[in-house]
Amino acid sequence: MMTPSQLADLVRRSDPQGEIDERHDALSFAAALGEPALRAEWLALAQTPPPFATGISIKIGDSDGDLEDNRPIAPGDRFQIRIAKRCAADILLLFFSEGYADNADTHSAVGHVRVADMPTGGTFTTYRTRFEAWTEDAPVPFAPLEKLPDPRTYASDFTQLNAVPQDIRPWLLGTAPETESAMFAAWRLIAVRKLLASLADRVCIEEGQVIYAFSGPPACKVALGDADAPTLFERVTEGAVWVYAEGLRDADTRHLLLANEWARTGRKAAMADMGQGSLESAKGAYSAYVKAGSKETLKALAELRKSIVDETQKISQRAQDLIGAMWKDVAVAAAPFALKIFPDAGKAETSFIASGLAIGAALFLIFSYAMQWHINAKWFEQQKNARDIWKSQLNLVLDPNEVDALSDPPVKESVKSYKNVRCWVGGFYAILVVLLTLFAFSNRPGAAVRADDAAASAAIRAGSAGAAARFEQAAGARGASIAAPGGPGVAAKAKAPPTSAPATSAKTQATRQRAAQ
């Protein structure tokens, strides 16, 4: 099976007449195809295209007729060959590095550029795209960096040629290739112009040339030739990284300072010397700028830090208030137990009231704890949303790590203390609810009646047992009197055994208590 690099070599061997027109979706060129073996190879490919091509067409001259096997070939015949590529999302496929210049704008919107004539060791990456050899293997996964500030905000483009890029990432080198290649040279030639345009104050066309103007002072205008582009590549790359990649919040100030330094170095005669030492001078000027405004900045930062601390203290104090509020209902739970100290705690009326109060107190504790939990959770959520809003604003001035260090630890500690106390209070509330429930069931009226019935039954059983014992004792005495001297007369005078009056009296008392209830 033919590979993309083999097909690119076949195109070279066909001796293209004129330029090779390569686009993201197809490649077209003209060739004589004078050798029969070469024509046969192209005809075979046209009948069975490789997997990476959707079709190959061979036209005779400028006509619509297709090349056939039995057609005679005249010495002056030319054939138009078109290879349609099988396009993939987020990938730009090229057979030749020379075709990159015509597809540079397309490259800005893709994550992979695969080139058939690119060596394996020539792989390199930018902040936006990975350049690699076009093989049968799937492309290596690549994640671009986040979008950087738009250079068109700081550099004016009057060329109508998109000289100032909208996205600077495709032109910032991420990892350099192991070996130089034609693809890297083609990309670098365009990248130097794009980066220089992003550092200039304005770009225009004068006398057919693209002019890069720096306002200065002193004002400076330069034109960049292909021979000087490799010399300036490292210089413009470092400057663009400092302005756009490192200066996300103050790219405008950095761009102004660096453009002034480029204008100062532009007074030198040699184009290769332009921008020499400009980045170091711009960094020094930026440092002086920061120090000049340090008094106002420090004052503003002090106010911001004070606001953060005050807000944090409010949240911490609120958390302490919530911790204290969790205990406010504990005294209510102890009220039913106070009923036990009254002298009439054993009465039925008091038992019914105590049981009802205990159930009510248990329900009140559950409802109060649930409501406090819900209200406190909502309050913490609202405070978090409010902190996120003002922290996002402070991050524009303060470092995000500094803002987090000032606000997050105290708030987290306060919330942690609140949650610990909430767990302990919840456990204590659970114990109180269980005790109140047991207290209510033990003092309900039905339980008191059953207790009285049990006491009455025990008294009856005790009285009956005592009467039986006395009856047996009297019977024994009667027998003894009959056998003794004096006979029955004496026994008749003996006192009769007592009746079961005590048992009857206990049962009567229990009946009266139930009637009173």
Side-chain angles (χ1 to χ4, degrees):
M1 183 66 66
M2 180 171 284
T3 63
S5 59
Q6 291 173 344
L7 182 54
D9 182 64
L10 177 60
V11 173
R12 295 288 192 192
R13 288 190 289 111
S14 301
D15 191 16
Q17 298 178 1
E19 294 183 355
I20 298 176
D21 183 17
E22 184 170 11
R23 303 295 176 181
H24 71 282
D25 57 347
L27 179 143
S28 302
F29 68 98
L33 302 182
E35 298 179 6
L38 189 62
R39 288 197 306 273
E41 192 171 357
W42 277 109
L43 286 172
L45 280 176
Q47 294 176 0
T48 308
F52 53 84
T54 59
I56 298 177
S57 63
I58 307 174
K59 302 295 183 181
I60 303 172
D62 296 331
S63 66
D64 294 334
D66 296 332
L67 175 63
E68 299 178 356
D69 294 338
N70 56 1
R71 182 188 183 282
I73 305 299
D77 286 347
R78 292 181 55 182
F79 301 91
Q80 294 291 335
I81 302 176
R82 185 179 187 274
I83 305 172
K85 304 174 186 177
R86 191 178 299 277
C87 299
D90 199 37
I91 299 177
L92 173 62
L93 301 176
L94 297 174
F95 286 102
F96 303 105
S97 302
E98 294 86 339
Y100 173 73
D102 296 329
N103 298 274
D105 292 337
T106 305
H107 144 239
S108 301
V110 299
H112 292 82
V113 175
R114 313 195 77 189
V115 188
D117 68 346
M118 181 176 178
T120 305
T123 301
F124 65 97
T125 63
T126 69
Y127 282 31
R128 176 66 178 86
T129 310
R130 175 184 173 88
F131 291 77
E132 59 187 7
W134 183 8
T135 62
E136 296 176 345
D137 300 331
V140 177
F142 176 75
L145 273 69
E146 296 182 359
K147 194 170 183 179
L148 300 178
D150 188 352
R152 298 178 303 176
T153 306
Y154 317 112
S156 302
D157 187 358
F158 300 102
T159 63
Q160 298 181 352
L161 300 175
N162 194 27
V164 180
Q166 179 180 0
D167 189 357
I168 198 68
R169 292 177 300 169
W171 315 110
L172 292 176
L173 183 63
T175 56
E178 297 179 1
T179 58
E180 289 281 345
S181 63
M183 180 65 242
F184 182 72
W187 171 83
R188 181 176 56 192
L189 185 62
I190 301 175
V192 171
R193 301 181 184 279
K194 297 287 187 180
L195 294 177
L196 184 59
S198 68
L199 297 179
D201 292 308
R202 66 183 182 277
V203 184
C204 58
I205 296 179
E206 295 181 3
E207 299 180 357
Q209 288 185 323
V210 178
I211 301 299
Y212 306 90
F214 298 87
S215 300
C220 175
K221 293 182 180 181
V222 295
L224 182 62
D226 293 346
D228 297 323
T231 307
L232 297 180
F233 174 71
E234 184 176 355
R235 215 168 295 160
V236 294
T237 299
E238 293 177 350
V241 170
W242 182 71
V243 171
Y244 296 103
E246 299 178 5
L248 296 178
R249 291 196 298 263
D250 53 359
D252 52 345
T253 302
R254 297 187 180 212
H255 181 273
L256 176 62
L257 295 175
L258 186 58
N260 289 340
E261 294 301 323
W262 273 79
R264 182 179 57 81
T265 59
R267 293 177 297 174
K268 299 180 180 180
M271 182 64 187
D273 295 333
M274 184 172 184
Q276 187 71 37
S278 60
L279 181 59
E280 290 74 12
S281 299
K283 288 182 178 180
Y286 179 75
S287 177
Y289 162 77
V290 173
K291 291 179 180 179
S294 60
K295 293 182 179 179
E296 296 296 330
T297 303
L298 291 177
K299 182 178 180 181
L301 292 180
E303 294 295 332
L304 291 175
R305 291 190 179 96
K306 184 176 182 298
S307 300
I308 297 174
V309 173
D310 292 343
E311 187 69 20
T312 303
Q313 289 179 349
K314 290 180 182 178
I315 297 173
S316 301
Q317 183 61 39
R318 177 60 177 172
Q320 296 297 325
D321 295 340
L322 295 177
I323 291 173
M326 295 291 288
W327 290 94
K328 70 183 181 64
D329 301 322
V330 175
V332 179
F337 296 102
L339 297 173
K340 300 298 292 180
I341 66 174
F342 290 105
D344 55 350
K347 294 183 179 180
E349 297 83 349
T350 306
S351 299
F352 179 79
I353 295 174
S355 177
L357 287 177
I359 294 295
L363 295 177
F364 176 76
L365 285 178
I366 296 174
F367 176 77
S368 176
Y369 185 76
M371 288 300 296
Q372 289 185 60
W373 188 324
H374 176 72
I375 293 173
N376 296 344
K378 286 295 183 181
W379 187 84
F380 280 122
E381 181 180 357
Q382 294 173 359
Q383 291 300 313
K384 181 180 180 302
N385 295 335
R387 289 200 311 274
D388 291 341
I389 293 175
W390 56 258
K391 283 173 63 176
S392 64
Q393 300 298 322
L394 291 179
N395 287 339
L396 299 176
V397 180
L398 293 176
D399 185 79
N401 296 329
E402 184 179 3
V403 176
D404 294 339
L406 288 172
S407 61
D408 288 351
V411 173
K412 289 181 179 179
E413 289 297 326
S414 300
V415 174
K416 182 179 179 181
S417 300
Y418 163 74
K419 290 183 178 180
N420 291 335
V421 174
R422 185 185 66 189
C423 292
W424 284 102
V425 172
F428 185 73
Y429 275 23
I431 296 174
L432 287 180
V433 169
V434 172
L435 294 178
L436 289 170
T437 304
L438 295 177
F439 176 80
F441 277 97
S442 63
N443 287 273
R444 67 186 188 280
V449 172
R450 284 193 293 271
D452 292 342
D453 290 344
S457 299
I460 292 173
R461 287 194 298 270
S464 298
R470 286 192 296 272
F471 179 77
E472 290 177 358
Q473 183 179 3
R478 188 181 303 113
S481 62
I482 294 175
V490 178
K493 294 180 181 179
K495 186 177 179 180
T499 62
S500 57
T504 304
S505 176
K507 184 175 182 180
T508 303
Q509 184 178 2
T511 303
R512 290 175 180 176
Q513 289 180 354
R514 287 195 298 272
Q517 292 177 354

